């Protein structure tokens, strides 16, 4: 059940490792899609941390306090202690949405696995480090060549196979390559080469993510995003650059304007 009889597009942010900017990216994506005129619903599956839910609660409080109209997705937090039927909650949110954004916990979680099977676009943010890359594949310590895909890559592969078998639909797996300012150029190239090799073997595509910026942490209490420059005040060039990064990231997700089939693209490296 959905708007105009078409099924909404599910974009699921999933990574079993914390500290990759997953929730920050999910929040900004939900708001950016709402700002673009999409009807967006967002759900936070991390009942303990609840970063996405708290961020959007803060945004709603800012809207009410300032009486300012801002793009605002519908949002909920999944609580299995109250009702563990995740699919029913997702179906209810999807009934009045064009895009459903799902933020999952930064750990292995049965409900995250369940959500992954609903994904049209599966987004896995990682930082430019071999610590994060280890989530996707094991790398040789001397040659920096990929030895084998990791458990998580195999998990995603099985999830995609299951989805194709049960629904006949494809999943666009996107590796979101965030930038850490302290990473040296040589290390970035090595990570990029390893990602390029893994992309061909495992079947994801790599897109540029967001840079490491203090502004993301500073915006949390107000729930504002980089798209709300009029409300921020004292906007500098770094804010403009960060907003452009965000816009380019959303465009690279390639979410269809109508219809929900993920748009298969060849795996490419992001730099």
């Amino acid at each position: 059940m959905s708007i105009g009889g078409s099924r909404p597009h599910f974009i699921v942010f999933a990574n079993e490792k914390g500290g990759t900017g997953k929730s920050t990216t999910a929040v900004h994506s939900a708001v950016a899609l709402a700002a673009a005129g999409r009807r967006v619903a967002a759900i936070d599956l991390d009942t303990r941390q609840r970063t996405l839910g708290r961020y959007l609660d803060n945004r709603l409080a800012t809207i009410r306090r300032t009486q300012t109209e801002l793009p605002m997705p519908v949002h909920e937090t999944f609580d299995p202690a109250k009702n563990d039927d995740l699919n029913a909650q997702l179906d209810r949110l999807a009934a009045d949405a064009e895009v459903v954004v799902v933020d999952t916990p930064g750990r292995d979680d049965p409900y995250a696995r369940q959500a992954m099977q609903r994904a049209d676009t599966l987004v896995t943010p990682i930082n430019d480090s071999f610590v994060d890359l280890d989530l996707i594949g094991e790398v040789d310590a001397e040659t920096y060549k990929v030895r084998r895909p990791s458990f998580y890559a195999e998990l995603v592969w099985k999830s995609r196979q299951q989805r194709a078998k049960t629904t006949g639909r494809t999943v666009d797996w996107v590796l979101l390559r965030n930038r850490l300012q302290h990473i040296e150029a040589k290390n970035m190239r090595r990570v990029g080469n390893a990602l390029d090799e893994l992309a061909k073997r495992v079947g994801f595509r790599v897109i540029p993510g967001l840079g490491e910026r203090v502004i993301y942490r500073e915006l949390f209490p107000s729930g504002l995003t980089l798209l709300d420059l009029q409300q921020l005040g004292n906007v500098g060039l770094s804010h403009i650059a960060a907003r452009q990064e965000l816009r380019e990231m959303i465009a690279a997700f390639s979410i269809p304007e109508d219809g929900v089939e993920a748009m298969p693209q060849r795996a490419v490296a992001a730099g």
Side-chain angles (χ1 to χ4, degrees):
M1 194 174 174
S2 56
I3 296 174
S6 63
R7 191 174 61 84
H9 190 97
F10 278 80
I11 175 168
V12 178
F13 290 80
N15 187 328
E16 291 183 5
K17 182 183 179 301
T20 60
K22 176 177 58 59
S23 295
T24 297
T25 306
V27 168
H28 276 72
S29 297
V31 172
L33 289 166
R38 305 288 188 99
R39 295 178 67 109
V40 181
I43 182 168
D44 193 338
L45 303 192
D46 193 344
T47 310
R48 286 185 289 184
Q49 296 289 335
R50 204 174 167 267
T51 303
L52 177 140
R54 289 165 55 216
Y55 201 120
L56 292 176
D57 284 347
N58 293 343
R59 183 175 182 83
L60 189 58
T62 293
I63 291 172
R64 291 169 175 168
R65 185 181 68 255
T66 62
Q67 297 185 338
T68 304
E69 289 189 12
L70 298 173
M72 184 70 201
V74 173
H75 72 288
E76 296 182 3
T77 296
F78 175 66
D79 187 352
K82 296 179 180 178
N83 185 350
D84 65 354
D85 192 345
L86 174 59
N87 277 322
Q89 188 169 355
L90 290 174
D91 288 341
R92 179 170 51 78
L93 285 170
D96 194 36
E98 296 172 80
V99 181
V100 179
V101 174
V102 183
D103 187 26
T104 64
R107 59 182 183 275
D108 187 17
D109 179 89
Y111 297 107
R113 294 190 183 200
Q114 192 174 339
M116 286 166 63
Q117 295 199 8
R118 299 284 296 260
D120 298 297
T121 302
L122 177 64
V123 181
T124 301
I126 70 166
N127 294 317
D128 259 343
S129 77
F130 284 104
V131 174
D132 281 18
L133 181 60
D134 190 63
L135 177 80
I136 310 298
E138 298 179 20
V139 177
D140 186 273
E142 295 182 354
T143 65
Y144 296 100
K145 295 292 185 181
V146 176
R147 289 176 175 171
R148 63 181 69 85
S150 70
F151 171 79
Y152 182 74
E154 293 176 356
L155 172 66
V156 173
W157 175 257
K158 291 177 181 177
S159 175
R160 296 166 82 186
Q161 283 185 315
Q162 182 64 31
R163 177 180 170 84
K165 183 185 298 184
T166 56
T167 69
R169 300 188 182 99
T170 59
V171 180
D172 184 18
W173 187 15
V174 178
L175 216 72
L176 189 67
R177 188 179 175 189
N178 290 324
R179 307 284 179 170
L180 294 178
Q181 293 178 351
H182 62 272
I183 296 296
E184 57 157 337
K186 183 185 292 185
N187 188 75
M188 289 177 62
R189 286 195 299 272
R190 287 171 174 168
V191 170
N193 291 338
L195 283 173
D196 193 21
E197 183 181 344
L198 267 170
K200 296 172 184 175
R201 294 174 59 176
V202 181
F204 56 75
R205 60 188 180 94
V206 183
I207 67 172
L210 305 176
E212 185 180 34
R213 300 177 188 275
V214 175
I215 184 63
Y216 293 113
R217 294 186 288 274
E218 293 177 342
L219 291 175
F220 177 83
S222 64
L224 295 176
T225 72
L226 292 167
L227 298 174
D228 307 312
L229 294 187
Q230 290 184 342
Q231 283 70 41
L232 294 181
N234 297 319
V235 173
L237 291 178
S238 62
H239 295 79
I240 304 298
R243 184 179 63 174
Q244 184 60 27
E245 286 178 352
L246 173 62
R247 288 175 169 171
E248 291 173 358
M249 181 190 74
I250 296 298
F253 285 156
S254 299
I255 299 175
E257 289 294 334
D258 52 6
V260 296
E261 293 302 325
M263 301 173 65
Q265 300 186 25
R266 65 182 180 87
V268 294

